Every structure is written in C-alpha cells, then in structure tokens.
C-alpha cells in the first residue's frame, strides 16, 4: 500500500529513527508484521496504554510528511535474478551486514558463498552488541536461515581470521570471484582528555562485550561498588549501558546476559547513572523510541533538569519535557540525563573518582564508561566497490552509524554492484576449483554445529 516510510530510496531513510506506518492508508493486511524481523509491529487495537505513544508517533510523522501520490504509483522493488551461475563470493565477517549480503547473493541461483568469521560464534554485534534486554532485536539472527536450496550453497567458517594466521586476503581473492568485507568498526573513539587511562574508565565496546559474553571481554571486572556511575556520550549505546546498570537483575536473569556479568550486577551498589551529553537536549544522540522505552521501565527514575528543555520542539524534546515534569521519586534507581556537560578531565588518584566538566563541576563516580561511538578506518568505496573483486558493506563501508536494518539496504547495494561487475566480465575467475575454505579443510559449521554454539554460550 506504500504506507510505510521513509523507504530506502527516500531522503531521510539513512537517518530515520524508525519507520512509520500511515494509519490512514494502512489496510491492516498484516504483511508488514509477517516481514518485520524484530517483531516491532502491532495492530493499534492491541496496543497497551504505554504503547499508545508509538501510534501517536506514527500518525505525527504523516502530519509533517504528508502522503504524496507518488507513493501509491510506485511498484514494489523487483529483485532481478541475474545469471550468476558459478559465481563464488567470500564474505569476511558474520554480523548483520555480512549475513544480509549473503542473503542478497544466495537469491541468485548458482551463487556460492563462503563466510569467514574470526570468532567462534557468528552474528557479530547482534550477538555481542545488542543489549540482552532487547531479545526481539537479537532475534533478527533467526531470519538468516534460507530455504534448503540456498542453504546448501552457503558455508560458514568460524574461528578463521582473514589476514591473520588463518587465511590471507590474496588467497581469498585467488579462490573466489570476489571478496566482501563486512568487518564492522575496528575500535572505539577516544576522548583524549587527562585521566582517560585511569583504572575504572571503561570503553563501551568492552563493557557491552562483557555483559554479552564476548570472548575478548569476558574477564572484565568493572568496579560496581560505588553508588554512582557516569556514562560519557548520550547515543543509544549510552542508554543501553545506563539501562543495564540500573536494571533489576531478576529481570535480566531471563535474558541471555553473560552469567559472570549477571552475578556482578546482582552485587552492584550502583543506584544512579549520570549520562553526559556534551551538547544541548535538542542535539541528544539517542533516538526518541529508545528514550521512550527507557521512560517506561518500571521503577526506574529518568531525571531531566527542566532548565535543559526550555526551548526546542519535536517529539524528542516533548518527551524530555514530560520527563522533566515528572515528580522525583525517592528510593529506587535512576538515570540522570545531563546536557551541555562536556567532560574535560577524568579525576582520580590511582583510579577513576569522577569527571570534571568544562564548567568546573565535578560529577563523582567510581565507574566511568566512555560511550562516544566507534571508530577505525572504513573502506573507501563507490556503491560498495573498493576495486573490481573487492567490496565492503555495513559499518566497514559507511562508518559506525545506523541500526541493524540499515545494513540490509547497504548490503543489497554492494551486492548489486558486485553482480553488475560480474555480468560485465570485470571479475577474475577463481584460480582453483575449490573455494579456499574447502581446499584448506576448514570445515563449515552446519545447523547442528550452530545449535551447539548457541548451547555452549548459554551454559
Ligand atoms: P552515537 O550515536 O554516534 O553517539 C555518540 C555520542 O558520543 C554522542 O552523544 C556524541 O556527542 C558523543 N561524543 C562523541 N565524541 C565525544 C567527545 N569527545 N566528548 C564527549 N562526547 C562525545 O554512537 P553510539 O551510541 O555508539 O551508537 C552507534 C550507532 O548504533 C548509532 O547509529 C546508534 O543509533 C546505533 N544503535 C542503535 C541502537 C538501537 O536502535 N536500539 C542501540 C545501540 C546502537 P555529539 O552528538 O555531540 O557528537
């Protein structure tokens, strides 16, 4: 019906906080609910009182973006099946971007895909980045199972580092027509302020990896003995950190949170998490739906200073104003959202004891989490092509922005470029009859093996 916007070819798709359903043109066919990978769609008649806010947010979008007749003339995108029989592609990285690229390739009969992942479990940030109290989002990995005819043309190699001891880039290129890098972002941004190296200052990548059981961060032992923690930065990752630190451990016990993290959180003394945004409330990096979900966590206080939200408009400011007007509850845990609070130094004698702001104010805390976004080099591409035969997608292509779904359109574009290069004869044929994985006897993991991977993680 053309009733969900923005679509991938509309301005604003890349930066949209969510997709919106037009209540006036939706015919309740339910097709979107079937297709939604994260189970985000509900009929309006089934919304709880708390969820009514989302109905309002959807309707409001169409007041500011009135429907255009063009929307209804547009045909749904057709996925052209190309003649790609015999095409062999290696994908490096098994996160959302890598799996969306595999999905787009396997639709074309005859294409074979070998995926290489350096960790012993697949799905990258879906597994190790999404917060455990967002199980529906983690469930997106469930869509990466294809019909048998496609599945048998796919091989997943776990524990194989490309460019490391496992396999070289040149070998991959020799053994496939093309290599797609879907390796995400290599690291975290740094604050470059005094005190950043003090014990007790932990980057989001490590902290998120710790509570998600990432093998590189499982041994982290954050100091949770103080009553206050500070999170620097106010993107969605910062909200994840603050929410997990203040969550009821009994509620977390029903999730796939790593057991050592759950045990540590059960003993945590933290009652307050202060989230520092260096700019004003109107520029806050968190999205409105994530703020709304936070504002509805039972028993959690979300504190906003009314002075910070005097001016500005839009749904985010309206919600922040509503929070600023809420009566402050005593007792219980709380998250304090601060604005115009740029950190200048992390203070402490031998360990972090707080953050000094540019105003001179000191926010005392025994745990300081840096959540200022990810970094690292990205591939320089044109429509996903680094050079004929070498491609990139996901954060490795775009940089660290956008949620899981953004990777789908990104990967489809990269794959379209690759297929066009193949059709134009721009790709070298593999030098050897077998893809590198099989030739080097790297046995792919099948569905039985995947069940074992998942079971070992939750034990
Ligand atoms: P982000 O959205 O880019 O937020 C980074 C935050 O760090 C911003 O508040 C930024 O402030 C601040 N910052 C950067 N440099 C700073 C500095 N030197 N000093 C102080 N503050 C600094 O990054 P993110 O939270 O890591 O998220 C990455 C992407 O993943 C985003 O697209 C996000 O939406 C997505 N994500 C989505 C979800 C979800 O949908 N549930 C969950 C997690 C992540 P300025 O704005 O002033 O630069």
């Amino acid at each position: 019906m053309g009733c969900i916007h923005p679509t991938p070819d509309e301005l604003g798709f890349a930066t949209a906080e969510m997709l919106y359903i037009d209540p006036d043109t939706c015919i309740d066919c339910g097709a979107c609910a079937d297709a939604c990978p994260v189970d985000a769609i509900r009929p309006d008649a089934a919304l709880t009182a708390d969820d009514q806010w989302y109905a309002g947010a959807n309707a409001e979008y169409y007041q500011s973006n009135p429907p255009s007749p063009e929307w209804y003339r547009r045909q749904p995108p057709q996925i052209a099946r190309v003649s790609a029989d015999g095409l062999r592609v290696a994908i490096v990285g098994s996160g959302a971007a890598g799996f969306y690229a595999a999905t787009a390739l396997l639709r074309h009969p005859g294409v074979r895909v070998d995926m290489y992942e350096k960790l012993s479990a697949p799905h990258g940030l879906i597994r190790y980045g999404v917060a455990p109290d967002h199980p529906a989002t983690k469930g997106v990995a469930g869509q990466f199972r294809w019909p048998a005819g496609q599945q048998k043309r796919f091989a997943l190699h776990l524990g194989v580092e490309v460019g490391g001891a496992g396999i070289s880039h040149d070998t991959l290129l020799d053994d496939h027509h093309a290599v797609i890098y879907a390796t995400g972002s290599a690291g975290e941004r740094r604050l470059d302020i005094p005190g950043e190296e003090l014990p007790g200052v932990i980057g989001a990548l490590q902290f998120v990896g710790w509570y998600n059981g990432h093998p590189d961060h499982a041994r982290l032992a954050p100091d949770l003995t103080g009553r206050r923690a500070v999170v620097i930065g106010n993107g969605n990752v910062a909200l994840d950190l603050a929410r997990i630190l203040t969550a009821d451990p009994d509620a977390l016990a029903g999730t796939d949170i790593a057991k050592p993290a759950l045990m540590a959180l059960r003993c945590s003394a933290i009652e307050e998490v202060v989230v520092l945004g260096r700019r004003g409330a109107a520029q806050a990096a968190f999205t409105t739906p994530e703020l709304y979900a936070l504002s509805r966590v039972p028993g959690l206080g979300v504190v906003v200073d009314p002075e910070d939200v005097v001016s500005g408009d839009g749904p985010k400011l309206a919600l922040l104003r509503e929070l600023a007007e809420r009566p402050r509850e005593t007792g219980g845990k709380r998250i304090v959202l601060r604005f115009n609070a740029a950190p200048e130094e992390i203070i402490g004698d031998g360990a972090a004891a707080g953050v000094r702001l540019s105003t001179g104010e000191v926010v005392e805390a025994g745990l300081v989490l840096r959540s200022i976004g990810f970094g690292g080099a990205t591939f320089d591409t044109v429509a996903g092509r680094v050079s004929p035969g070498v491609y990139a997608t996901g954060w490795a292509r775009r940089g660290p922005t956008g949620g899981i779904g953004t990777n789908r359109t990104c990967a489809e574009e990269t794959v379209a470029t690759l297929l066009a290069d193949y059709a134009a004869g721009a790709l070298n044929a593999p030098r050897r009859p077998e893809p590198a994985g099989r030739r080097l006897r790297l046995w792919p993991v099948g569905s039985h093996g995947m069940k074992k991977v998942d079971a070992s993680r939750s034990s």
Side-chain angles (χ1 to χ4, degrees), residues 134 137 189-191 232-238 240 276-279 283-287 290 342-343 371-374 395 400-403:
H134 282 169
T137 310
R189 287 195 200 123
R190 297 189 58 80
L191 288 159
I232 299 176
N234 67 5
N236 281 342
V237 171
D240 283 349
L276 299 178
R278 63 178 169 176
R279 295 191 285 160
Q283 289 82 34
F286 50 71
T287 57
E290 287 302 312
S371 180
I372 60 168
F374 300 91
W395 280 7
T401 56

mmCIF file of all heavy atoms in Angstrom, residues 134 137 189-191 232-238 240 276-279 283-287 290 342-343 371-374 395 400-403, ligand 1:
data_model
loop_
_atom_site.group_PDB
_atom_site.id
_atom_site.type_symbol
_atom_site.label_atom_id
_atom_site.label_comp_id
_atom_site.label_asym_id
_atom_site.label_seq_id
_atom_site.Cartn_x
_atom_site.Cartn_y
_atom_site.Cartn_z
ATOM 1 N N HIS A 134 16.921 -6.683 25.033
ATOM 2 C CA HIS A 134 16.251 -6.451 23.753
ATOM 3 C C HIS A 134 16.222 -7.752 22.947
ATOM 4 O O HIS A 134 16.799 -7.837 21.857
ATOM 5 C CB HIS A 134 16.972 -5.361 22.956
ATOM 6 C CG HIS A 134 16.686 -3.971 23.426
ATOM 7 N ND1 HIS A 134 17.388 -2.876 22.989
ATOM 8 C CD2 HIS A 134 15.756 -3.499 24.293
ATOM 9 C CE1 HIS A 134 16.910 -1.779 23.570
ATOM 10 N NE2 HIS A 134 15.924 -2.146 24.375
ATOM 11 N N THR A 137 15.251 -7.823 19.206
ATOM 12 C CA THR A 137 16.275 -7.343 18.269
ATOM 13 C C THR A 137 17.303 -8.443 18.031
ATOM 14 O O THR A 137 17.726 -8.676 16.898
ATOM 15 C CB THR A 137 16.949 -6.076 18.825
ATOM 16 O OG1 THR A 137 15.934 -5.166 19.227
ATOM 17 C CG2 THR A 137 17.840 -5.427 17.793
ATOM 18 N N ARG A 189 36.131 5.350 19.527
ATOM 19 C CA ARG A 189 36.712 6.697 19.586
ATOM 20 C C ARG A 189 37.275 6.919 20.984
ATOM 21 O O ARG A 189 36.826 6.302 21.939
ATOM 22 C CB ARG A 189 35.618 7.737 19.336
ATOM 23 C CG ARG A 189 35.179 7.794 17.908
ATOM 24 C CD ARG A 189 34.392 9.086 17.684
ATOM 25 N NE ARG A 189 33.589 8.940 16.496
ATOM 26 C CZ ARG A 189 32.275 9.080 16.444
ATOM 27 N NH1 ARG A 189 31.600 9.421 17.513
ATOM 28 N NH2 ARG A 189 31.623 8.909 15.313
ATOM 29 N N ARG A 190 38.204 7.853 21.050
ATOM 30 C CA ARG A 190 38.783 8.168 22.357
ATOM 31 C C ARG A 190 38.496 9.620 22.699
ATOM 32 O O ARG A 190 38.316 10.460 21.815
ATOM 33 C CB ARG A 190 40.280 7.896 22.342
ATOM 34 C CG ARG A 190 40.599 6.425 22.101
ATOM 35 C CD ARG A 190 42.050 6.162 22.314
ATOM 36 N NE ARG A 190 42.499 6.529 23.641
ATOM 37 C CZ ARG A 190 42.329 5.788 24.724
ATOM 38 N NH1 ARG A 190 41.713 4.635 24.653
ATOM 39 N NH2 ARG A 190 42.782 6.196 25.885
ATOM 40 N N LEU A 191 38.478 9.897 23.991
ATOM 41 C CA LEU A 191 38.188 11.259 24.445
ATOM 42 C C LEU A 191 39.397 12.168 24.340
ATOM 43 O O LEU A 191 39.259 13.382 24.146
ATOM 44 C CB LEU A 191 37.739 11.229 25.913
ATOM 45 C CG LEU A 191 36.353 10.655 26.172
ATOM 46 C CD1 LEU A 191 36.238 10.199 27.617
ATOM 47 C CD2 LEU A 191 35.301 11.700 25.845
ATOM 48 N N ILE A 232 29.817 8.735 29.545
ATOM 49 C CA ILE A 232 30.131 9.910 28.708
ATOM 50 C C ILE A 232 29.628 9.637 27.290
ATOM 51 O O ILE A 232 29.958 8.621 26.683
ATOM 52 C CB ILE A 232 31.648 10.187 28.710
ATOM 53 C CG1 ILE A 232 32.114 10.489 30.137
ATOM 54 C CG2 ILE A 232 31.979 11.349 27.770
ATOM 55 C CD1 ILE A 232 33.613 10.677 30.277
ATOM 56 N N GLY A 233 28.831 10.561 26.755
ATOM 57 C CA GLY A 233 28.174 10.365 25.453
ATOM 58 C C GLY A 233 26.718 10.005 25.702
ATOM 59 O O GLY A 233 26.386 9.416 26.750
ATOM 60 N N ASN A 234 25.827 10.400 24.779
ATOM 61 C CA ASN A 234 24.408 10.073 25.014
ATOM 62 C C ASN A 234 23.721 9.490 23.780
ATOM 63 O O ASN A 234 22.560 9.771 23.505
ATOM 64 C CB ASN A 234 23.646 11.268 25.605
ATOM 65 C CG ASN A 234 23.505 12.439 24.640
ATOM 66 O OD1 ASN A 234 23.901 12.336 23.481
ATOM 67 N ND2 ASN A 234 22.943 13.534 25.110
ATOM 68 N N GLY A 235 24.440 8.599 23.076
ATOM 69 C CA GLY A 235 23.816 7.848 21.978
ATOM 70 C C GLY A 235 23.014 6.670 22.524
ATOM 71 O O GLY A 235 22.862 6.505 23.742
ATOM 72 N N ASN A 236 22.497 5.855 21.622
ATOM 73 C CA ASN A 236 21.705 4.694 22.054
ATOM 74 C C ASN A 236 22.534 3.692 22.841
ATOM 75 O O ASN A 236 22.021 2.996 23.712
ATOM 76 C CB ASN A 236 21.076 4.010 20.836
ATOM 77 C CG ASN A 236 19.837 4.745 20.356
ATOM 78 O OD1 ASN A 236 19.260 5.547 21.090
ATOM 79 N ND2 ASN A 236 19.431 4.483 19.124
ATOM 80 N N VAL A 237 23.838 3.612 22.521
ATOM 81 C CA VAL A 237 24.685 2.687 23.288
ATOM 82 C C VAL A 237 24.779 3.173 24.738
ATOM 83 O O VAL A 237 24.701 2.377 25.682
ATOM 84 C CB VAL A 237 26.084 2.547 22.644
ATOM 85 C CG1 VAL A 237 27.022 1.762 23.550
ATOM 86 C CG2 VAL A 237 25.973 1.854 21.282
ATOM 87 N N ALA A 238 24.902 4.487 24.924
ATOM 88 C CA ALA A 238 24.960 5.040 26.290
ATOM 89 C C ALA A 238 23.678 4.684 27.055
ATOM 90 O O ALA A 238 23.731 4.311 28.237
ATOM 91 C CB ALA A 238 25.142 6.560 26.229
ATOM 92 N N ASP A 240 21.802 2.081 26.490
ATOM 93 C CA ASP A 240 21.901 0.642 26.799
ATOM 94 C C ASP A 240 22.705 0.426 28.086
ATOM 95 O O ASP A 240 22.299 -0.329 28.972
ATOM 96 C CB ASP A 240 22.616 -0.115 25.666
ATOM 97 C CG ASP A 240 21.733 -0.366 24.447
ATOM 98 O OD1 ASP A 240 20.519 -0.150 24.529
ATOM 99 O OD2 ASP A 240 22.292 -0.781 23.406
ATOM 100 N N LEU A 276 26.183 11.848 30.337
ATOM 101 C CA LEU A 276 26.643 13.197 29.993
ATOM 102 C C LEU A 276 26.589 13.430 28.479
ATOM 103 O O LEU A 276 27.296 12.767 27.717
ATOM 104 C CB LEU A 276 28.094 13.391 30.445
ATOM 105 C CG LEU A 276 28.382 13.257 31.944
ATOM 106 C CD1 LEU A 276 29.885 13.421 32.199
ATOM 107 C CD2 LEU A 276 27.592 14.290 32.753
ATOM 108 N N GLY A 277 25.757 14.379 28.067
ATOM 109 C CA GLY A 277 25.751 14.813 26.666
ATOM 110 C C GLY A 277 26.513 16.127 26.576
ATOM 111 O O GLY A 277 26.274 17.026 27.369
ATOM 112 N N ARG A 278 27.420 16.217 25.628
ATOM 113 C CA ARG A 278 28.230 17.448 25.587
ATOM 114 C C ARG A 278 27.475 18.616 24.962
ATOM 115 O O ARG A 278 27.854 19.763 25.125
ATOM 116 C CB ARG A 278 29.546 17.218 24.862
ATOM 117 C CG ARG A 278 29.398 16.842 23.407
ATOM 118 C CD ARG A 278 30.753 16.688 22.748
ATOM 119 N NE ARG A 278 30.633 16.075 21.440
ATOM 120 C CZ ARG A 278 31.645 15.885 20.618
ATOM 121 N NH1 ARG A 278 32.859 16.261 20.974
ATOM 122 N NH2 ARG A 278 31.462 15.314 19.454
ATOM 123 N N ARG A 279 26.387 18.319 24.233
ATOM 124 C CA ARG A 279 25.604 19.398 23.615
ATOM 125 C C ARG A 279 24.230 19.488 24.286
ATOM 126 O O ARG A 279 23.949 18.772 25.246
ATOM 127 C CB ARG A 279 25.466 19.139 22.120
ATOM 128 C CG ARG A 279 26.812 19.213 21.419
ATOM 129 C CD ARG A 279 26.673 19.233 19.923
ATOM 130 N NE ARG A 279 26.337 17.924 19.368
ATOM 131 C CZ ARG A 279 25.801 17.751 18.164
ATOM 132 N NH1 ARG A 279 25.524 18.799 17.418
ATOM 133 N NH2 ARG A 279 25.539 16.544 17.704
ATOM 134 N N GLN A 283 20.130 18.269 20.645
ATOM 135 C CA GLN A 283 21.148 17.555 19.852
ATOM 136 C C GLN A 283 21.456 16.165 20.433
ATOM 137 O O GLN A 283 22.390 15.512 19.991
ATOM 138 C CB GLN A 283 22.454 18.353 19.801
ATOM 139 C CG GLN A 283 22.405 19.613 18.958
ATOM 140 C CD GLN A 283 21.789 20.768 19.709
ATOM 141 O OE1 GLN A 283 21.949 20.885 20.911
ATOM 142 N NE2 GLN A 283 21.061 21.615 19.005
ATOM 143 N N ALA A 284 20.678 15.725 21.402
ATOM 144 C CA ALA A 284 20.968 14.421 22.025
ATOM 145 C C ALA A 284 21.031 13.339 20.953
ATOM 146 O O ALA A 284 20.209 13.303 20.037
ATOM 147 C CB ALA A 284 19.884 14.091 23.042
ATOM 148 N N ALA A 285 22.017 12.442 21.082
ATOM 149 C CA ALA A 285 22.223 11.436 20.029
ATOM 150 C C ALA A 285 21.287 10.238 20.169
ATOM 151 O O ALA A 285 21.096 9.492 19.217
ATOM 152 C CB ALA A 285 23.676 10.974 20.040
ATOM 153 N N PHE A 286 20.696 10.020 21.352
ATOM 154 C CA PHE A 286 19.784 8.868 21.467
ATOM 155 C C PHE A 286 18.540 9.127 20.621
ATOM 156 O O PHE A 286 18.180 10.273 20.352
ATOM 157 C CB PHE A 286 19.401 8.584 22.928
ATOM 158 C CG PHE A 286 18.924 9.774 23.714
ATOM 159 C CD1 PHE A 286 17.698 10.366 23.462
ATOM 160 C CD2 PHE A 286 19.715 10.309 24.722
ATOM 161 C CE1 PHE A 286 17.258 11.455 24.190
ATOM 162 C CE2 PHE A 286 19.293 11.405 25.460
ATOM 163 C CZ PHE A 286 18.062 11.986 25.191
ATOM 164 N N THR A 287 17.882 8.028 20.208
ATOM 165 C CA THR A 287 16.681 8.197 19.383
ATOM 166 C C THR A 287 15.457 8.285 20.302
ATOM 167 O O THR A 287 15.469 7.796 21.440
ATOM 168 C CB THR A 287 16.520 7.030 18.396
ATOM 169 O OG1 THR A 287 16.484 5.809 19.139
ATOM 170 C CG2 THR A 287 17.664 6.978 17.397
ATOM 171 N N GLU A 290 13.989 4.937 21.653
ATOM 172 C CA GLU A 290 14.791 4.350 22.739
ATOM 173 C C GLU A 290 14.572 5.115 24.036
ATOM 174 O O GLU A 290 14.508 4.527 25.117
ATOM 175 C CB GLU A 290 16.282 4.338 22.375
ATOM 176 C CG GLU A 290 16.648 3.308 21.334
ATOM 177 C CD GLU A 290 16.275 1.894 21.753
ATOM 178 O OE1 GLU A 290 16.581 1.489 22.895
ATOM 179 O OE2 GLU A 290 15.649 1.183 20.947
ATOM 180 N N ALA A 342 30.127 18.841 28.907
ATOM 181 C CA ALA A 342 31.300 18.295 28.191
ATOM 182 C C ALA A 342 32.378 17.904 29.195
ATOM 183 O O ALA A 342 32.727 18.697 30.081
ATOM 184 C CB ALA A 342 31.829 19.341 27.217
ATOM 185 N N PRO A 343 32.901 16.695 29.080
ATOM 186 C CA PRO A 343 33.937 16.273 30.029
ATOM 187 C C PRO A 343 35.279 16.918 29.696
ATOM 188 O O PRO A 343 35.632 17.059 28.529
ATOM 189 C CB PRO A 343 34.004 14.759 29.808
ATOM 190 C CG PRO A 343 33.584 14.580 28.393
ATOM 191 C CD PRO A 343 32.616 15.682 28.077
ATOM 192 N N SER A 371 31.262 6.215 26.082
ATOM 193 C CA SER A 371 30.362 5.697 25.041
ATOM 194 C C SER A 371 30.192 6.768 23.976
ATOM 195 O O SER A 371 29.131 7.366 23.831
ATOM 196 C CB SER A 371 29.013 5.326 25.672
ATOM 197 O OG SER A 371 28.149 4.827 24.676
ATOM 198 N N ILE A 372 31.280 7.021 23.252
ATOM 199 C CA ILE A 372 31.272 8.165 22.319
ATOM 200 C C ILE A 372 31.364 7.692 20.869
ATOM 201 O O ILE A 372 31.762 8.430 19.991
ATOM 202 C CB ILE A 372 32.386 9.169 22.664
ATOM 203 C CG1 ILE A 372 33.764 8.526 22.582
ATOM 204 C CG2 ILE A 372 32.147 9.773 24.035
ATOM 205 C CD1 ILE A 372 34.896 9.541 22.628
ATOM 206 N N GLY A 373 30.938 6.474 20.649
ATOM 207 C CA GLY A 373 30.884 5.987 19.267
ATOM 208 C C GLY A 373 32.109 5.152 18.926
ATOM 209 O O GLY A 373 33.090 5.108 19.672
ATOM 210 N N PHE A 374 31.981 4.485 17.811
ATOM 211 C CA PHE A 374 33.045 3.589 17.377
ATOM 212 C C PHE A 374 33.881 4.285 16.320
ATOM 213 O O PHE A 374 33.503 5.325 15.788
ATOM 214 C CB PHE A 374 32.425 2.286 16.866
ATOM 215 C CG PHE A 374 31.622 1.601 17.930
ATOM 216 C CD1 PHE A 374 30.260 1.849 18.072
ATOM 217 C CD2 PHE A 374 32.233 0.773 18.846
ATOM 218 C CE1 PHE A 374 29.523 1.247 19.081
ATOM 219 C CE2 PHE A 374 31.514 0.176 19.867
ATOM 220 C CZ PHE A 374 30.148 0.414 19.985
ATOM 221 N N TRP A 395 29.167 -1.256 8.606
ATOM 222 C CA TRP A 395 29.979 -0.187 9.205
ATOM 223 C C TRP A 395 31.351 -0.097 8.548
ATOM 224 O O TRP A 395 31.944 0.972 8.523
ATOM 225 C CB TRP A 395 30.117 -0.426 10.713
ATOM 226 C CG TRP A 395 28.899 0.011 11.494
ATOM 227 C CD1 TRP A 395 27.707 0.438 10.978
ATOM 228 C CD2 TRP A 395 28.765 0.079 12.919
ATOM 229 N NE1 TRP A 395 26.842 0.761 12.012
ATOM 230 C CE2 TRP A 395 27.461 0.552 13.204
ATOM 231 C CE3 TRP A 395 29.617 -0.219 13.983
ATOM 232 C CZ2 TRP A 395 26.996 0.733 14.513
ATOM 233 C CZ3 TRP A 395 29.153 -0.041 15.287
ATOM 234 C CH2 TRP A 395 27.853 0.437 15.544
ATOM 235 N N PRO A 400 30.425 3.932 11.611
ATOM 236 C CA PRO A 400 29.588 3.350 12.668
ATOM 237 C C PRO A 400 28.265 4.071 12.887
ATOM 238 O O PRO A 400 28.036 4.669 13.934
ATOM 239 C CB PRO A 400 30.475 3.451 13.900
ATOM 240 C CG PRO A 400 31.338 4.634 13.639
ATOM 241 C CD PRO A 400 31.543 4.709 12.168
ATOM 242 N N THR A 401 27.384 4.039 11.918
ATOM 243 C CA THR A 401 26.070 4.644 12.118
ATOM 244 C C THR A 401 24.988 3.715 11.597
ATOM 245 O O THR A 401 25.213 2.937 10.672
ATOM 246 C CB THR A 401 25.921 5.975 11.340
ATOM 247 O OG1 THR A 401 26.188 5.717 9.973
ATOM 248 C CG2 THR A 401 26.839 7.048 11.854
ATOM 249 N N GLY A 402 23.822 3.863 12.224
ATOM 250 C CA GLY A 402 22.661 3.112 11.750
ATOM 251 C C GLY A 402 22.481 1.818 12.521
ATOM 252 O O GLY A 402 23.433 1.239 13.038
ATOM 253 N N GLY A 403 21.216 1.428 12.622
ATOM 254 C CA GLY A 403 20.880 0.193 13.322
ATOM 255 C C GLY A 403 21.049 -1.016 12.411
ATOM 256 O O GLY A 403 21.527 -0.897 11.274
HETATM 257 P P1 LIG B 1 26.474 7.786 18.570
HETATM 258 O O1 LIG B 1 25.007 7.652 18.347
HETATM 259 O O2 LIG B 1 27.307 8.331 17.469
HETATM 260 O O3 LIG B 1 26.657 8.683 19.891
HETATM 261 C C1 LIG B 1 27.945 9.095 20.296
HETATM 262 C C2 LIG B 1 27.812 10.059 21.460
HETATM 263 O O4 LIG B 1 29.131 10.380 21.905
HETATM 264 C C3 LIG B 1 27.153 11.389 21.087
HETATM 265 O O5 LIG B 1 26.402 11.836 22.185
HETATM 266 C C4 LIG B 1 28.375 12.291 20.852
HETATM 267 O O6 LIG B 1 28.116 13.657 21.059
HETATM 268 C C5 LIG B 1 29.273 11.793 21.956
HETATM 269 N N1 LIG B 1 30.671 12.170 21.767
HETATM 270 C C6 LIG B 1 31.454 11.941 20.679
HETATM 271 N N2 LIG B 1 32.701 12.415 20.905
HETATM 272 C C7 LIG B 1 32.679 12.955 22.148
HETATM 273 C C8 LIG B 1 33.651 13.589 22.935
HETATM 274 N N3 LIG B 1 34.899 13.755 22.511
HETATM 275 N N4 LIG B 1 33.295 14.019 24.170
HETATM 276 C C9 LIG B 1 32.035 13.835 24.630
HETATM 277 N N5 LIG B 1 31.081 13.224 23.928
HETATM 278 C C10 LIG B 1 31.397 12.795 22.696
HETATM 279 O O7 LIG B 1 27.146 6.391 18.918
HETATM 280 P P2 LIG B 1 26.618 5.093 19.664
HETATM 281 O O8 LIG B 1 25.732 5.394 20.812
HETATM 282 O O9 LIG B 1 27.846 4.309 19.918
HETATM 283 O O10 LIG B 1 25.729 4.338 18.558
HETATM 284 C C11 LIG B 1 26.300 3.932 17.292
HETATM 285 C C12 LIG B 1 25.162 3.594 16.303
HETATM 286 O O11 LIG B 1 24.482 2.408 16.718
HETATM 287 C C13 LIG B 1 24.097 4.686 16.251
HETATM 288 O O12 LIG B 1 23.643 4.815 14.932
HETATM 289 C C14 LIG B 1 23.001 4.149 17.139
HETATM 290 O O13 LIG B 1 21.704 4.665 16.886
HETATM 291 C C15 LIG B 1 23.090 2.650 16.835
HETATM 292 N N6 LIG B 1 22.500 1.888 17.948
HETATM 293 C C16 LIG B 1 21.160 1.688 17.907
HETATM 294 C C17 LIG B 1 20.554 1.031 18.965
HETATM 295 C C18 LIG B 1 19.068 0.840 18.917
HETATM 296 O O14 LIG B 1 18.442 1.232 17.947
HETATM 297 N N7 LIG B 1 18.483 0.290 19.953
HETATM 298 C C19 LIG B 1 21.292 0.567 20.054
HETATM 299 C C20 LIG B 1 22.665 0.804 20.062
HETATM 300 C C21 LIG B 1 23.258 1.477 18.988
HETATM 301 P P3 LIG B 1 27.823 14.610 19.800
HETATM 302 O O15 LIG B 1 26.440 14.219 19.333
HETATM 303 O O16 LIG B 1 27.918 15.954 20.387
HETATM 304 O O17 LIG B 1 28.888 14.321 18.761
#
